[in-house]
Amino acid sequence: MKIDFSHLTQILQRFKAKPYKIYPVLTPHTGKIIEFKIKEGEEVRGPSGKWLEKPGTPLFILEREKNPKLIRAQYNGIAQNIRTDLLNRFVEAGEKVLEIKHPLSQEEIISEVLLNALLVIRAPETARYILSPELGKRLEKEGLGKVSVKEGDELLIMTFMKRETPIFLKERGTYIIYQIYFKPFELVQAGEPLLGLCPVEDLPHLEKIIQRIKAEWSL
Amino acid sequence: MLVELHKKLKELIELAEYIRDIKGEEFLSIGNICNELTDFYHHFYDYSQEKIISFIQSYEEKLGKILIKAEETLTPYEIVKIVRHPQRFTLLDILENVYDSYMELGGEGELNIDPAVICAKAIITRRVGDEVYFHQVMVIGHEKGHGEEFRRGGSAAPWGNEKALRYMKMAETEGIPIHFYIFTPGAYPIEDYPGAAQQIARNLFYMSKLSVPTISFISEGGSGGAEAIGLTDLRLMAEKGYYSVISPEGAAAIEAKLKDERPPRELVEKMAKALKLTAKDNLQLGTIDRIIPEPPLGARRKDYEFFKRLKYEIIKATDEVVLQTRSLKMLRKYALSKQNFENFSYYVNWELSEDEKEILIENRYEKYRKMTQWAVLEPKSFFKCLAQRGTRLGQSIAYEVKYRVLKSGQKTFKRFFEELASESSLLLKPVSDPIKSVYNLIVGKKIRTKVRMPGEIEEETEVYVSPLALQDRTVTCPQAEKFGCPDLWVPDLYGEFCGVCPNCGYHFPLEYNWYLNNIFDKGSVKTFNDEIASGNPLNFEGYAEKLKAARKETGLNSALLSFEAKIGGISVVAVMLVADFRQGTVGVAEGEKFIRAVEFAKVSRRPFIALVHTTGGIRIHEGTMGVVQMPRCTMAVRDYVDSGGLYIVIYDNNSYAGPVASFLGSAPYQFALKSTRLGFAGPRVILETTGQPVPPDYHSVENALKRGHIQGIWDRRELRKKLFFALLTMGAPNLYYR
């Protein structure tokens, strides 16, 4: 597998044009919006604290059957496109009331790009994972971005209830271990990324791109 | 010579700084004196010897005068400052100076089960004429340390209290007296096993029947932490000590309803005064027995005269407790004999015989039963009093006859027949059957038929409707975001659903009447002792008005309801702490009502149930009068459980602090409804004491169960059924007696 660099450039261009993500805030059910708690362009915060115990910024109050329900922000960002015309009007469930413009940070962009670029090994089952002993030793010695693996190499061991299953590399070619997404013996949900692999020949190019992102977004 | 002078000067500086710390910079310009002294100290070797001597003499005189003035104007808050000062004596100083030798158990210094609690086997000597006698005692107490971080200022962790309990048991096995020294600002409020509140409760439960003489000495008595080793036969208190339900700062924060800011100084000082926390006040209130005098501005580490006095007092106190179990004559003789600090004219053996142990425990029960009773507000007409006493006596005789005489006779008779029948069933049947049927005819099969098999309880047909349900609106479940619960229509929620979200099982708070009407059989609830009312024993400013408002709002006289009731035909005695009345806090009236209810349950041989609608702890407005309800009520519980009673506690909503750390937490069976919060101190107090924030679900009932604090989690919709089942299974077969 080779990295599709033209696709990457497209993604990057998209990010450059819009360096943010937009999360719409929808009504959870029908009701009447009786009050807006924020104004256009104000900053809002999602739940915070060590255990997310501090609730997000109040956005608006939706009332149904004399039950005023406070809707709060779930993401950090700027409130925009507030539908003030909906005030004191009946709304359907799933109606977009406002948007939260969430500015992307350098790390978020890099991780997004990497997820698109790399060959990502995902968890086949909800289980605990560890690196295969041999690979683990090499990684400890040489570090990320240096260790290469071939087709048929043992990458990981999936362990669940004392049952251990090895996971092998099925793609052709030689790859560099570029990213590790899990912690040993931590429960990983099925479908979550475990490893990010980069084809050996594409490594210099990819690194150049990452450098460029770092330079551009630090400004 | 010069060395001695240097030392003397250093001591003077220490004294001056001590006075400055207690009384403040401005007091008789003590700040300046401090500076002058330290200046002189820095240039000590520049001066001639004569100059130094005259300088020291003049300042000694000056400080002596200041000390007397300072003593005269001492305020309660300054006493609190004295107790917290690093120069004050600690338990290790006492062990060094009062006892002749000692051996620390459970660790020394930092290498310790809990450095805040010290347990030691010690030897204390008594001189009688030329003879010297040795007494072995167990010393248990808090070690504040002189500023060491690892001592946590004497805040005992749950395992520290557990350690104390372990060595109490050891002393009991060995039959030696225990001396407790209380130097704690309060227990360390963490929930890890064995749990701050639950361990204090266990300690109290055990101490109430400890069969060795116990003496406690209070220097810093911080509420529950102090009680954990404070239930004793004789309670001494240092003259400059404090014993309080809460720190003045804490009380000020609550009174001013502050969240994060520090309370103003004036308010803190006012609270220190209002809480009546000094030794003198406590003696007046009857929460302690004796005051140990201290030098002006309190004893410090090197006040050897004070330690001599303390040694004398502690021996005398132990003597008295021991002699009280013997004859009164001996005690009188002892009191008349001339004792002095150096020499005793009497030797008392501190070992007790079996009979004496029983008397000791009886005396202890009496002592605590009488404590704070003077403050119980009860409408007192002479005839009513007499009638009440008459009924009580009549009841106890009637129940005694019914259960002790009749039932035990019945029991032996029944057992005899059971054995006889099983041994030789076929052979003897023709003989035994007629006798048995005659027996059944006389005594009746009442007991047998009354007890239904588990699970046969009927649902109440007429359902009580909560006034909360009379609204046409919906509410959102607080866990809706997590579990996606639909909105709940109020009449449904507070009616059919018993205030429980059908999707996630979240329990909404309900009013106390709901429990009275839905758990117990229709019309079976009969309250008693309603007339006992919460009073204002400390004359706490503004408290009388608050009580009045609470009384008007709820129509109750105190936060505790005590009643007789039936569940599926089983009669029980129950109490309920009601949230609506001052947050279900416990004061003198509540404690007295609780004890009377327990005693009634004991006399009438019925299961005892404590429902906790909510409890916020001990009511701070009643100071130590409230705190001593912890040992008082726990003693009643211990007495009841030991005599064979079944005691079940059910928590709902919020249960915190004092009550959980005593009469609730000491129950052998504790259950909590879902969504209950259960613990010792709230998150804010934990953050202030430990410096660590706790997760939002720290006090949740699931975590309490994981830590082993409770026996199970119940659903409110099944409460009646569960309780009935519990009564049948745990109290079976005759529902009460072992």
Side-chain angles (χ1 to χ4, degrees), chain A residues 99-143:
Chain A
E99 286 168 349
I100 294 177
K101 191 165 116 183
H102 172 71
L104 290 168
S105 67
Q106 195 191 78
E107 289 83 43
E108 278 170 312
I109 288 172
I110 291 177
S111 76
E112 190 84 357
V113 167
L114 283 181
L115 271 180
N116 274 296
L118 298 175
L119 168 64
V120 177
I121 309 283
R122 289 180 185 273
E125 281 175 41
T126 302
R128 292 165 206 282
Y129 293 84
I130 46 170
L131 287 167
S132 82
E134 196 200 339
L135 192 63
K137 253 181 232 162
R138 281 173 61 201
L139 271 171
E140 205 173 287
K141 215 163 144 195
E142 295 170 46

Short mmCIF file of all heavy atoms in Angstrom, two decimals, chain A residues 99-143:
data_model
loop_
_atom_site.label_atom_id
_atom_site.label_comp_id
_atom_site.label_asym_id
_atom_site.label_seq_id
_atom_site.Cartn_x
_atom_site.Cartn_y
_atom_site.Cartn_z
N GLU A 99 -24.48 26.77 16.05
CA GLU A 99 -23.30 25.98 15.75
C GLU A 99 -22.20 26.36 16.70
O GLU A 99 -22.11 27.50 17.14
CB GLU A 99 -22.82 26.27 14.31
CG GLU A 99 -23.68 25.66 13.25
CD GLU A 99 -23.33 26.20 11.88
OE1 GLU A 99 -22.57 27.19 11.81
OE2 GLU A 99 -23.83 25.63 10.91
N ILE A 100 -21.37 25.37 17.03
CA ILE A 100 -20.17 25.68 17.81
C ILE A 100 -18.97 25.50 16.90
O ILE A 100 -18.73 24.42 16.37
CB ILE A 100 -20.06 24.79 19.06
CG1 ILE A 100 -21.21 25.10 20.03
CG2 ILE A 100 -18.73 25.04 19.75
CD1 ILE A 100 -21.25 24.23 21.24
N LYS A 101 -18.29 26.62 16.67
CA LYS A 101 -17.10 26.58 15.81
C LYS A 101 -15.92 26.23 16.69
O LYS A 101 -15.52 27.02 17.56
CB LYS A 101 -16.92 27.94 15.14
CG LYS A 101 -15.89 27.93 14.04
CD LYS A 101 -16.02 29.18 13.21
CE LYS A 101 -14.76 30.01 13.34
NZ LYS A 101 -14.83 31.27 12.61
N HIS A 102 -15.40 25.04 16.48
CA HIS A 102 -14.33 24.55 17.35
C HIS A 102 -13.01 24.67 16.62
O HIS A 102 -12.75 23.93 15.67
CB HIS A 102 -14.62 23.09 17.70
CG HIS A 102 -13.52 22.42 18.44
ND1 HIS A 102 -13.23 22.72 19.74
CD2 HIS A 102 -12.63 21.48 18.06
CE1 HIS A 102 -12.21 21.98 20.14
NE2 HIS A 102 -11.82 21.23 19.14
N PRO A 103 -12.14 25.62 16.98
CA PRO A 103 -10.86 25.78 16.27
C PRO A 103 -9.96 24.57 16.50
O PRO A 103 -9.84 24.08 17.62
CB PRO A 103 -10.26 27.04 16.89
CG PRO A 103 -10.97 27.25 18.18
CD PRO A 103 -12.28 26.54 18.10
N LEU A 104 -9.37 24.08 15.41
CA LEU A 104 -8.53 22.88 15.53
C LEU A 104 -7.13 23.26 15.95
O LEU A 104 -6.56 24.24 15.48
CB LEU A 104 -8.48 22.16 14.18
CG LEU A 104 -9.79 21.49 13.77
CD1 LEU A 104 -9.71 21.08 12.32
CD2 LEU A 104 -10.10 20.30 14.65
N SER A 105 -6.57 22.46 16.84
CA SER A 105 -5.18 22.72 17.25
C SER A 105 -4.24 21.94 16.35
O SER A 105 -4.66 21.09 15.57
CB SER A 105 -5.00 22.31 18.70
OG SER A 105 -5.13 20.92 18.80
N GLN A 106 -2.97 22.24 16.45
CA GLN A 106 -1.96 21.57 15.63
C GLN A 106 -2.03 20.05 15.81
O GLN A 106 -2.01 19.30 14.83
CB GLN A 106 -0.60 22.10 16.08
CG GLN A 106 0.51 21.81 15.14
CD GLN A 106 1.83 22.14 15.81
OE1 GLN A 106 2.32 21.38 16.63
NE2 GLN A 106 2.39 23.29 15.49
N GLU A 107 -2.16 19.62 17.07
CA GLU A 107 -2.17 18.17 17.34
C GLU A 107 -3.37 17.50 16.68
O GLU A 107 -3.26 16.42 16.13
CB GLU A 107 -2.21 17.89 18.84
CG GLU A 107 -0.96 18.21 19.61
CD GLU A 107 -0.86 19.68 19.99
OE1 GLU A 107 -1.89 20.24 20.42
OE2 GLU A 107 0.23 20.27 19.83
N GLU A 108 -4.51 18.20 16.78
CA GLU A 108 -5.72 17.62 16.22
C GLU A 108 -5.57 17.45 14.70
O GLU A 108 -5.97 16.43 14.14
CB GLU A 108 -6.92 18.50 16.53
CG GLU A 108 -7.48 18.26 17.92
CD GLU A 108 -8.51 19.27 18.34
OE1 GLU A 108 -8.26 20.49 18.18
OE2 GLU A 108 -9.57 18.87 18.82
N ILE A 109 -4.97 18.43 14.05
CA ILE A 109 -4.80 18.35 12.60
C ILE A 109 -3.82 17.24 12.24
O ILE A 109 -4.08 16.42 11.36
CB ILE A 109 -4.31 19.71 12.03
CG1 ILE A 109 -5.47 20.69 12.10
CG2 ILE A 109 -3.82 19.56 10.60
CD1 ILE A 109 -5.11 22.08 11.76
N ILE A 110 -2.70 17.19 12.96
CA ILE A 110 -1.71 16.16 12.67
C ILE A 110 -2.33 14.77 12.84
O ILE A 110 -2.16 13.89 11.99
CB ILE A 110 -0.46 16.32 13.57
CG1 ILE A 110 0.29 17.59 13.16
CG2 ILE A 110 0.45 15.12 13.45
CD1 ILE A 110 1.48 17.91 14.02
N SER A 111 -3.07 14.60 13.93
CA SER A 111 -3.64 13.27 14.15
C SER A 111 -4.65 12.93 13.07
O SER A 111 -4.74 11.79 12.62
CB SER A 111 -4.25 13.17 15.55
OG SER A 111 -5.47 13.85 15.57
N GLU A 112 -5.39 13.94 12.62
CA GLU A 112 -6.37 13.72 11.55
C GLU A 112 -5.65 13.30 10.27
O GLU A 112 -6.03 12.35 9.60
CB GLU A 112 -7.17 15.01 11.34
CG GLU A 112 -8.36 14.86 10.43
CD GLU A 112 -9.59 14.34 11.17
OE1 GLU A 112 -9.50 14.06 12.39
OE2 GLU A 112 -10.62 14.20 10.53
N VAL A 113 -4.56 14.01 9.94
CA VAL A 113 -3.81 13.73 8.73
C VAL A 113 -3.19 12.33 8.81
O VAL A 113 -3.27 11.55 7.85
CB VAL A 113 -2.70 14.79 8.53
CG1 VAL A 113 -1.71 14.35 7.46
CG2 VAL A 113 -3.32 16.11 8.14
N LEU A 114 -2.64 12.02 9.97
CA LEU A 114 -2.00 10.72 10.11
C LEU A 114 -3.00 9.59 9.98
O LEU A 114 -2.73 8.59 9.32
CB LEU A 114 -1.30 10.63 11.47
CG LEU A 114 0.02 11.38 11.59
CD1 LEU A 114 0.61 11.20 12.97
CD2 LEU A 114 1.01 10.91 10.53
N LEU A 115 -4.17 9.79 10.58
CA LEU A 115 -5.19 8.74 10.48
C LEU A 115 -5.56 8.49 9.02
O LEU A 115 -5.90 7.37 8.64
CB LEU A 115 -6.43 9.12 11.27
CG LEU A 115 -6.45 8.69 12.75
CD1 LEU A 115 -7.73 9.14 13.41
CD2 LEU A 115 -6.28 7.18 12.88
N ASN A 116 -5.51 9.53 8.21
CA ASN A 116 -5.82 9.39 6.79
C ASN A 116 -4.67 8.79 6.01
O ASN A 116 -4.87 8.09 5.04
CB ASN A 116 -6.19 10.75 6.19
CG ASN A 116 -7.66 11.03 6.39
OD1 ASN A 116 -8.51 10.32 5.87
ND2 ASN A 116 -7.95 12.04 7.21
N ALA A 117 -3.44 9.12 6.43
CA ALA A 117 -2.28 8.74 5.64
C ALA A 117 -1.79 7.34 5.97
O ALA A 117 -1.45 6.57 5.07
CB ALA A 117 -1.16 9.74 5.88
N LEU A 118 -1.74 7.02 7.23
CA LEU A 118 -1.08 5.78 7.64
C LEU A 118 -1.96 4.56 7.40
O LEU A 118 -3.17 4.67 7.27
CB LEU A 118 -0.74 5.85 9.13
CG LEU A 118 0.23 6.94 9.57
CD1 LEU A 118 0.36 6.96 11.07
CD2 LEU A 118 1.58 6.75 8.91
N LEU A 119 -1.30 3.42 7.40
CA LEU A 119 -2.02 2.16 7.42
C LEU A 119 -2.34 1.90 8.89
O LEU A 119 -1.45 1.70 9.71
CB LEU A 119 -1.13 1.05 6.87
CG LEU A 119 -1.64 -0.37 7.09
CD1 LEU A 119 -2.95 -0.59 6.34
CD2 LEU A 119 -0.61 -1.38 6.64
N VAL A 120 -3.63 1.98 9.21
CA VAL A 120 -4.01 1.89 10.62
C VAL A 120 -4.49 0.47 10.93
O VAL A 120 -5.37 -0.07 10.26
CB VAL A 120 -5.11 2.91 10.94
CG1 VAL A 120 -5.57 2.75 12.40
CG2 VAL A 120 -4.61 4.31 10.70
N ILE A 121 -3.85 -0.14 11.94
CA ILE A 121 -4.30 -1.45 12.41
C ILE A 121 -5.35 -1.19 13.49
O ILE A 121 -5.06 -0.52 14.47
CB ILE A 121 -3.14 -2.24 13.02
CG1 ILE A 121 -1.94 -2.27 12.09
CG2 ILE A 121 -3.59 -3.63 13.44
CD1 ILE A 121 -2.05 -3.22 10.94
N ARG A 122 -6.55 -1.68 13.28
CA ARG A 122 -7.62 -1.43 14.25
C ARG A 122 -7.91 -2.67 15.08
O ARG A 122 -7.61 -3.79 14.67
CB ARG A 122 -8.88 -0.97 13.51
CG ARG A 122 -8.72 0.43 12.95
CD ARG A 122 -9.93 0.93 12.23
NE ARG A 122 -9.63 2.21 11.62
CZ ARG A 122 -9.77 3.39 12.24
NH1 ARG A 122 -10.22 3.44 13.48
NH2 ARG A 122 -9.47 4.52 11.61
N ALA A 123 -8.49 -2.44 16.25
CA ALA A 123 -8.77 -3.55 17.16
C ALA A 123 -9.89 -4.40 16.60
O ALA A 123 -10.98 -3.89 16.36
CB ALA A 123 -9.15 -3.02 18.53
N PRO A 124 -9.66 -5.70 16.36
CA PRO A 124 -10.72 -6.55 15.82
C PRO A 124 -11.81 -6.86 16.84
O PRO A 124 -12.95 -7.08 16.48
CB PRO A 124 -9.97 -7.82 15.42
CG PRO A 124 -8.71 -7.81 16.19
CD PRO A 124 -8.39 -6.39 16.52
N GLU A 125 -11.45 -6.87 18.13
CA GLU A 125 -12.43 -7.16 19.17
C GLU A 125 -12.18 -6.23 20.35
O GLU A 125 -11.09 -5.68 20.48
CB GLU A 125 -12.26 -8.60 19.70
CG GLU A 125 -12.84 -9.67 18.82
CD GLU A 125 -12.52 -11.05 19.37
OE1 GLU A 125 -12.61 -11.22 20.59
OE2 GLU A 125 -12.17 -11.93 18.57
N THR A 126 -13.20 -6.10 21.20
CA THR A 126 -12.98 -5.36 22.44
C THR A 126 -12.16 -6.25 23.37
O THR A 126 -12.63 -7.29 23.82
CB THR A 126 -14.32 -5.01 23.10
OG1 THR A 126 -15.08 -4.25 22.17
CG2 THR A 126 -14.12 -4.21 24.37
N ALA A 127 -10.92 -5.86 23.59
CA ALA A 127 -10.01 -6.70 24.37
C ALA A 127 -8.83 -5.86 24.85
O ALA A 127 -8.77 -4.66 24.59
CB ALA A 127 -9.50 -7.87 23.53
N ARG A 128 -7.93 -6.51 25.52
CA ARG A 128 -6.68 -5.85 25.92
C ARG A 128 -5.59 -6.23 24.95
O ARG A 128 -5.57 -7.37 24.46
CB ARG A 128 -6.30 -6.28 27.34
CG ARG A 128 -7.27 -5.75 28.36
CD ARG A 128 -7.14 -6.44 29.68
NE ARG A 128 -8.40 -6.38 30.39
CZ ARG A 128 -8.84 -5.30 31.04
NH1 ARG A 128 -8.10 -4.20 31.08
NH2 ARG A 128 -10.00 -5.30 31.65
N TYR A 129 -4.68 -5.30 24.66
CA TYR A 129 -3.65 -5.57 23.67
C TYR A 129 -2.26 -5.27 24.23
O TYR A 129 -2.09 -4.37 25.05
CB TYR A 129 -3.89 -4.70 22.43
CG TYR A 129 -5.14 -5.09 21.69
CD1 TYR A 129 -6.38 -4.59 22.08
CD2 TYR A 129 -5.10 -5.99 20.63
CE1 TYR A 129 -7.55 -4.96 21.44
CE2 TYR A 129 -6.26 -6.37 19.97
CZ TYR A 129 -7.48 -5.86 20.37
OH TYR A 129 -8.62 -6.25 19.73
N ILE A 130 -1.29 -6.07 23.76
CA ILE A 130 0.11 -5.74 24.05
C ILE A 130 0.91 -5.93 22.77
O ILE A 130 0.50 -6.64 21.86
CB ILE A 130 0.72 -6.64 25.16
CG1 ILE A 130 0.38 -8.10 24.92
CG2 ILE A 130 0.27 -6.22 26.53
CD1 ILE A 130 1.15 -9.05 25.82
N LEU A 131 2.05 -5.27 22.68
CA LEU A 131 2.93 -5.47 21.52
C LEU A 131 3.54 -6.86 21.61
O LEU A 131 3.73 -7.38 22.71
CB LEU A 131 4.06 -4.43 21.56
CG LEU A 131 3.65 -3.00 21.22
CD1 LEU A 131 4.76 -2.05 21.61
CD2 LEU A 131 3.34 -2.87 19.74
N SER A 132 3.83 -7.48 20.48
CA SER A 132 4.49 -8.79 20.53
C SER A 132 5.86 -8.59 21.18
O SER A 132 6.50 -7.55 20.98
CB SER A 132 4.62 -9.36 19.13
OG SER A 132 5.76 -8.81 18.52
N PRO A 133 6.30 -9.54 21.98
CA PRO A 133 7.51 -9.34 22.79
C PRO A 133 8.72 -8.88 21.98
O PRO A 133 9.43 -7.95 22.38
CB PRO A 133 7.75 -10.73 23.39
CG PRO A 133 6.46 -11.43 23.34
CD PRO A 133 5.70 -10.87 22.20
N GLU A 134 8.89 -9.49 20.80
CA GLU A 134 10.06 -9.16 19.99
C GLU A 134 10.00 -7.70 19.52
O GLU A 134 10.95 -6.94 19.67
CB GLU A 134 10.09 -10.11 18.79
CG GLU A 134 11.41 -10.15 18.08
CD GLU A 134 11.26 -10.68 16.66
OE1 GLU A 134 10.24 -11.38 16.39
OE2 GLU A 134 12.12 -10.38 15.84
N LEU A 135 8.83 -7.33 19.03
CA LEU A 135 8.63 -5.97 18.53
C LEU A 135 8.79 -4.96 19.67
O LEU A 135 9.41 -3.90 19.51
CB LEU A 135 7.23 -5.87 17.92
CG LEU A 135 6.92 -4.62 17.11
CD1 LEU A 135 7.84 -4.56 15.90
CD2 LEU A 135 5.48 -4.61 16.68
N GLY A 136 8.24 -5.34 20.81
CA GLY A 136 8.33 -4.47 21.98
C GLY A 136 9.78 -4.17 22.32
O GLY A 136 10.15 -3.03 22.58
N LYS A 137 10.59 -5.23 22.31
CA LYS A 137 12.01 -5.06 22.64
C LYS A 137 12.69 -4.12 21.66
O LYS A 137 13.43 -3.22 22.02
CB LYS A 137 12.70 -6.43 22.61
CG LYS A 137 13.03 -6.94 24.01
CD LYS A 137 13.72 -8.27 23.91
CE LYS A 137 13.05 -9.30 24.79
NZ LYS A 137 13.40 -10.67 24.45
N ARG A 138 12.40 -4.34 20.36
CA ARG A 138 13.05 -3.51 19.33
C ARG A 138 12.62 -2.06 19.47
O ARG A 138 13.42 -1.13 19.30
CB ARG A 138 12.69 -4.05 17.95
CG ARG A 138 13.52 -5.27 17.59
CD ARG A 138 13.04 -5.90 16.30
NE ARG A 138 13.13 -5.00 15.15
CZ ARG A 138 12.41 -5.16 14.04
NH1 ARG A 138 11.57 -6.18 13.94
NH2 ARG A 138 12.53 -4.32 13.03
N LEU A 139 11.32 -1.86 19.74
CA LEU A 139 10.81 -0.49 19.86
C LEU A 139 11.47 0.23 21.05
O LEU A 139 11.79 1.41 20.98
CB LEU A 139 9.30 -0.50 20.06
CG LEU A 139 8.48 -0.47 18.77
CD1 LEU A 139 7.02 -0.71 19.06
CD2 LEU A 139 8.67 0.87 18.06
N GLU A 140 11.64 -0.52 22.12
CA GLU A 140 12.24 0.08 23.31
C GLU A 140 13.67 0.52 23.00
O GLU A 140 14.13 1.55 23.47
CB GLU A 140 12.24 -0.98 24.42
CG GLU A 140 12.24 -0.41 25.82
CD GLU A 140 12.08 -1.51 26.85
OE1 GLU A 140 10.96 -2.04 26.96
OE2 GLU A 140 13.10 -1.85 27.47
N LYS A 141 14.33 -0.28 22.17
CA LYS A 141 15.73 -0.02 21.85
C LYS A 141 15.87 1.13 20.85
O LYS A 141 16.65 2.05 21.04
CB LYS A 141 16.34 -1.29 21.24
CG LYS A 141 17.79 -1.51 21.61
CD LYS A 141 18.13 -2.94 21.33
CE LYS A 141 19.53 -3.12 20.80
NZ LYS A 141 19.69 -4.46 20.22
N GLU A 142 15.05 1.08 19.78
CA GLU A 142 15.27 2.00 18.67
C GLU A 142 14.32 3.19 18.67
O GLU A 142 14.66 4.24 18.15
CB GLU A 142 15.15 1.23 17.34
CG GLU A 142 16.24 0.18 17.19
CD GLU A 142 15.98 -0.74 16.02
OE1 GLU A 142 15.64 -0.23 14.94
OE2 GLU A 142 16.08 -1.97 16.20
N GLY A 143 13.14 3.02 19.20
CA GLY A 143 12.19 4.14 19.25
C GLY A 143 11.22 4.15 18.10
O GLY A 143 11.40 3.45 17.09
#
